[in-house]
Amino acid sequence: MPPSASIAARIEQARARIAAAERDAGRALGSVILTVVTKTQPPEAVDAAIAAGSTVFGENRVQEAQGRWGGRPRPAELRLIGRLQSNKAGAACALFDVIETLDRDSLLTALASEAQRRGACPRLLVQINTGEEPQKAGVAPRDADALIARARAADLPVEGLMCIPPAKEAPGPHFALLARIAARNDLNVLSMGMSDDFETAVRFGATHVRLGSALFGPRDPAR
């Protein structure tokens, strides 16, 4: 893991690159939010990101997030960016401000039931499998409108979409597809773009980019 000063420098560099991409795309500065992806990171790395002024964090697993944030002050916003099992909907609703991975009816039902029980629900993004890759989570693009409609009918607070393009394909067409689905469903939030392609995502309208290795370096396989 890089030292704290290096993490702070990488975060500052990422912010500068996001700002440059915003300018190049003719977008307002500050219109894109940096989500710091902390999965598998040790406590000192997370603390360094907080010390560098990061306020929005993304986690892949409910249990890992519970362990990480149970012993330190909560960030301004905690987002679940990994696949959510339906039987963990209650724990996710208790912990996260935003769940980015609504992608199927069983999870919709679990979240709606939990929202009714709690009288509240985290803001939601529908995850779209833009490449229709069988190994990835996400609803197929052709089925997205119907899932969004069912979520709205259940009074769930869907505010946007999320995607992870196929690793071996140009990301631009996938980001453009996500933006089209969002536009026809009157959704304004687009979580798209990671360490290797976030500047492209900004050009296609991303409101949130999810960066991990660009801030912390390559992930340690042992973790």
Side-chain angles (χ1 to χ4, degrees):
M1 185 200 75
S4 296
S6 178
I7 291 173
R10 290 183 182 194
I11 289 174
E12 188 59 32
Q13 182 183 47
R15 290 172 179 152
R17 289 174 62 186
I18 291 170
E22 288 171 333
R23 286 192 294 268
D24 291 345
R27 299 180 58 183
L29 293 180
S31 59
V32 180
I33 295 172
L34 169 59
T35 299
V36 177
V37 178
T38 46
K39 62 182 179 181
T40 75
Q41 294 300 327
E44 55 268 29
V46 180
D47 291 339
I50 294 171
S54 300
T55 59
V56 180
F57 288 81
E59 292 281 352
N60 265 46
R61 295 184 176 89
V62 173
Q63 188 172 356
E64 185 179 352
Q66 288 171 326
R68 191 188 319 284
W69 297 104
R72 57 169 49 86
R74 279 182 58 89
E77 190 168 272
L78 191 59
R79 306 175 72 91
L80 179 63
I81 60 174
R83 193 174 193 270
L84 177 59
Q85 295 176 337
S86 298
N87 63 1
K88 293 185 178 178
C93 287
L95 180 61
F96 291 97
D97 301 292
V98 181
I99 295 172
E100 297 197 6
T101 52
L102 172 58
D103 65 348
R104 61 198 187 278
D105 284 317
S106 60
L107 180 56
L108 187 161
T109 299
L111 289 170
S113 176
E114 189 63 25
Q116 185 175 27
R117 186 184 72 82
R118 295 169 56 86
C121 183
R123 300 177 342 258
L124 301 174
L125 306 189
V126 172
Q127 181 176 358
I128 311 296
N129 187 345
T130 56
E132 301 194 47
E133 299 173 276
Q135 77 279 15
K136 277 187 181 175
V139 62
R142 63 182 174 276
D143 299 322
D145 294 356
L147 182 62
I148 293 166
R150 289 194 293 273
R152 285 172 164 164
D155 290 327
L156 290 175
V158 176
E159 67 174 14
L161 306 177
M162 183 267 251
C163 78
I164 304 172
K168 295 183 179 180
E169 295 184 19
H174 295 273
F175 296 150
L177 173 59
L178 197 73
R180 290 196 300 272
I181 296 171
R184 70 178 183 240
N185 285 282
D186 296 319
L187 296 171
N188 299 317
V189 175
L190 290 173
S191 175
M192 58 188 193
M194 297 187 291
S195 291
D196 292 335
D197 57 19
F198 68 91
E199 286 149 318
T200 301
V202 172
R203 291 200 299 273
F204 282 93
T207 61
H208 295 70
V209 294
R210 311 180 303 272
L211 305 188
S213 60
L215 310 181
F216 301 112
R219 193 173 305 128
D220 182 358
R223 296 190 64 87

